[in-house]
């Protein structure tokens, strides 16, 4: 039987490929972006307690009331925006589901969605499945900033959405308040929706504030903002996220969500609501927690021949390997995992038109022991 694929450009993700190679070659895995340390003990205890108390059946489709209320409180505390927990917050099965639901809810066949390369790999397939077109704009290197004139030039009557990501994966670049003003000016008096991927919102360094679109009153009225409990609480495998959007946008978002996953892991929702209420300092202290890891990792690999790029946010370090080997980033990552004993992620899979880059991504959301083991190997290259 012949099957016409709806996603002809999609294969196994580079994250899965490199993680599998790491296993096969017993390499230190700094590729896929997950912590190798555990979530807070109190949070794990709360999940177990919720299971023991019978919270094992379907949760409300839009999320537990208690959790949505905590999200609303946090949104006001962090970004100064008061939102309605009943109409503006939807709990999802991870941020990836929220991103897909947001795109499916408002993007139609023939529409265009502006994305910035290097772009996280789930964006374009979600756009393609709507019969829409991803319009790729490359970020400036090495700062990975947005050229707003290129954005203006790319706007057409078919532009339905602009998708931004800050802190940015894979570069760690962050949007400034000036960037938000530029974005607001571009979408003003249009029907363009902003989708803001902010899963690393609490991992911003050197005293900077995360410039969420929720801080910007004009943008917040036309935006869907996606967040991740997995990134914030070191539990990526639980797959719990959420979306914040104005009532009208949330209503459309929920139409898709209810037929995509309907609801999200009930015991974890109970636990997150409890932990957010009792321990708000966790996310407030997260910038310092990860900044210490960033600085430790940079110190460890500084003696290597890798050139380290700046890391304003997120938990990834980009490195230039051109002093070690002159080959493509994919070839270098394959060599590195097999011969160097460290798994990294190449940047070119994040691009529509791959540049001739000599940059790879390393994850420092790791224990000291893991970072030290990886650094020992990297310094021998």
């Amino acid at each position: 039987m012949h099957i016409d694929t709806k996603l002809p450009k999609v294969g196994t993700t580079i994250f899965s490929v490199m993680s599998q190679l790491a296993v096969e070659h017993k390499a230190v895995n700094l590729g896929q972006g997950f912590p190798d340390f555990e979530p807070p003990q109190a949070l794990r205890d709360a999940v177990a307690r919720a299971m023991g108390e019978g919270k094992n059946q379907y949760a409300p489709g839009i999320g537990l009331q208690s959790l949505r209320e905590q999200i609303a409180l946090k949104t006001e505390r962090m970004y100064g925006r008061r939102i309605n927990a009943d109409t503006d917050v939807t709990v999802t099965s991870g941020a990836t589901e929220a991103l897909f639901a947001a795109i499916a809810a408002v993007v139609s066949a023939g529409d265009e969605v502006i994305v910035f390369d290097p772009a996280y790999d789930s964006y374009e397939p979600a756009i393609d499945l709507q019969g829409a077109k991803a319009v790729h704009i490359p970020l400036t290197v090495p700062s990975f900033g947005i050229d707003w004139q290129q954005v203006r030039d790319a706007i057409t009557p078919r532009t339905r959405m602009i998708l931004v990501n800050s802190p940015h994966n894979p570069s760690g670049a962050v949007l400034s308040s000036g960037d938000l003003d530029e974005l607001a000016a571009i979408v003003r008096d249009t029907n363009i929706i902003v989708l803001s991927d902010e899963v690393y919102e609490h991992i911003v360094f050197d005293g900077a504030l995360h410039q969420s679109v929720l801080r910007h009153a004009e943008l917040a009225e036309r935006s869907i903002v996606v967040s991740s409990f997995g990134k914030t609480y070191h539990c990526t495998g639980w797959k719990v996220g959420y979306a914040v959007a104005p009532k009208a946008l949330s209503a459309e978002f929920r139409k898709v969500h209810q037929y995509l996953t309907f609801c999200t892991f009930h015991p974890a929702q109970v636990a997150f609501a409890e932990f957010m209420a009792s321990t708000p300092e966790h996310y407030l202290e997260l910038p310092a927690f990860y900044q210490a890891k960033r600085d430790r990792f940079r110190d460890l690999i500084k003696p290597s021949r890798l050139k380290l790029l700046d890391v304003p946010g997120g938990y990834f370090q980009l490195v230039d390997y051109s002093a070690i080997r002159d080959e493509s980033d994919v070839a270098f990552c394959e060599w590195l995992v097999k011969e160097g004993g460290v798994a990294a992620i190449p940047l070119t899979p994040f691009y529509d038109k791959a540049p001739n880059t000599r940059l790879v991504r390393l994850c420092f959301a790791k224990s000291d022991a893991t970072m030290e083991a990886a650094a020992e190997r990297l310094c021998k290259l």
Side-chain angles (χ1 to χ4, degrees):
M1 179 174 66
H2 176 72
I3 299 174
D4 290 323
T5 179
K6 298 181 76 173
L7 295 171
K9 295 189 289 184
V10 173
T12 304
T13 72
I14 190 64
F15 309 107
S16 298
V17 170
M18 295 312 303
S19 289
Q20 181 59 39
L21 285 172
V23 172
E24 291 175 5
H25 296 278
K26 297 181 172 58
V28 180
N29 190 355
L30 301 186
Q32 195 167 2
F34 58 83
D36 69 348
F37 44 86
E38 294 302 318
Q41 185 63 54
L43 181 60
R44 286 180 280 156
D45 291 344
V47 172
R49 187 163 55 251
M51 289 180 176
E53 293 173 353
K55 307 297 185 183
N56 299 306
Q57 307 309 322
Y58 295 127
I62 62 174
L64 285 184
Q65 176 77 24
S66 57
L67 181 54
R68 287 184 284 110
E69 288 175 352
Q70 286 300 319
I71 292 168
L73 286 170
K74 190 197 85 165
T75 299
E76 184 172 10
R77 180 184 299 126
M78 295 295 298
Y79 307 128
R81 182 165 182 81
R82 184 170 295 180
I83 60 174
N84 187 313
D86 293 328
T87 60
D88 301 351
V89 181
T90 308
V91 179
T92 61
S93 296
T96 302
E97 190 232 325
L99 291 164
F100 185 94
I103 293 167
V106 299
V107 174
S108 300
D111 286 346
E112 294 176 351
V113 178
I114 292 176
V115 300
F116 299 97
D117 286 354
Y120 185 62
D121 64 351
S122 80
Y123 298 162
E124 188 163 14
I127 296 165
D128 290 345
L129 288 171
Q130 314 316 313
K133 177 185 177 182
V135 176
H136 294 265
I137 296 177
L139 297 172
T140 61
V141 177
S143 68
F144 291 90
I146 295 174
D147 181 336
W148 291 107
Q149 187 56 51
Q150 284 195 48
V151 179
R152 293 184 187 91
D153 294 342
I155 298 290
T156 76
R158 294 182 298 277
T159 305
R160 179 57 171 153
M161 175 180 282
I162 299 176
L163 203 170
V164 294
N165 172 210
S166 178
H168 178 249
N169 179 12
S171 74
V174 298
L175 294 178
S176 68
S177 59
D179 287 319
L180 298 187
D181 289 339
E182 292 272 15
L183 178 58
I186 288 170
V187 299
R188 189 175 297 138
D189 301 321
T190 73
N191 288 319
I192 297 171
I193 304 299
V194 174
L195 176 55
S196 188
D197 178 353
E198 302 185 15
V199 299
Y200 300 100
E201 63 187 308
H202 299 299
I203 311 177
V204 178
F205 304 133
D206 304 311
L209 289 175
H210 169 55
Q211 295 298 328
S212 171
V213 300
L214 293 169
R215 288 188 189 276
H216 197 289
E218 184 180 359
L219 285 175
E221 290 298 328
R222 63 166 70 236
S223 297
I224 303 171
V225 178
V226 173
S227 295
S228 167
F229 284 109
K231 299 295 192 296
T232 301
Y233 294 98
H234 321 314
C235 52
T236 60
W238 294 5
K239 293 299 292 179
V240 184
Y242 62 91
V244 173
K247 181 178 180 180
L249 276 176
S250 284
E252 296 305 309
F253 179 94
R254 289 170 175 183
K255 290 176 184 178
V256 176
H257 166 70
Q258 70 180 339
Y259 293 117
L260 194 57
T261 60
F262 176 65
C263 69
T264 295
F265 184 43
H266 195 163
Q269 292 195 57
V270 175
F272 283 130
E274 178 183 312
F275 193 74
M276 289 179 76
S278 66
T279 319
E281 62 269 20
H282 174 88
Y283 59 78
L284 296 173
E285 294 170 355
L286 209 59
F289 174 84
Y290 272 117
Q291 183 166 329
K293 288 191 174 293
R294 178 199 67 172
D295 294 348
R296 173 65 173 155
F297 185 60
R298 289 171 67 89
D299 286 344
L300 285 168
I301 63 174
K302 193 174 295 182
S304 76
R305 291 193 289 163
L306 298 167
K307 179 183 176 183
L308 282 61
L309 276 65
D310 292 339
V311 185
Y315 52 48
F316 301 112
Q317 172 70 62
L318 293 189
V319 297
D320 182 326
Y321 61 85
S322 56
I324 299 174
R325 290 174 75 86
D326 184 22
E327 60 187 358
S328 73
D329 58 349
V330 173
F332 177 78
C333 285
E334 291 176 351
W335 172 83
L336 180 62
V337 72
K338 295 174 182 177
E339 304 298 331
V342 176
I345 295 293
L347 256 64
T348 52
F350 292 81
Y351 283 89
D352 179 49
K353 294 181 174 62
N356 186 26
T357 181
R358 295 294 183 266
L359 299 175
V360 297
R361 191 193 82 175
L362 302 170
C363 177
F364 57 80
K366 306 297 179 184
S367 66
D368 284 351
T370 299
M371 289 192 288
E372 289 163 7
E376 182 180 0
R377 298 179 184 196
L378 293 170
C379 289
K380 293 177 180 177
L381 300 177

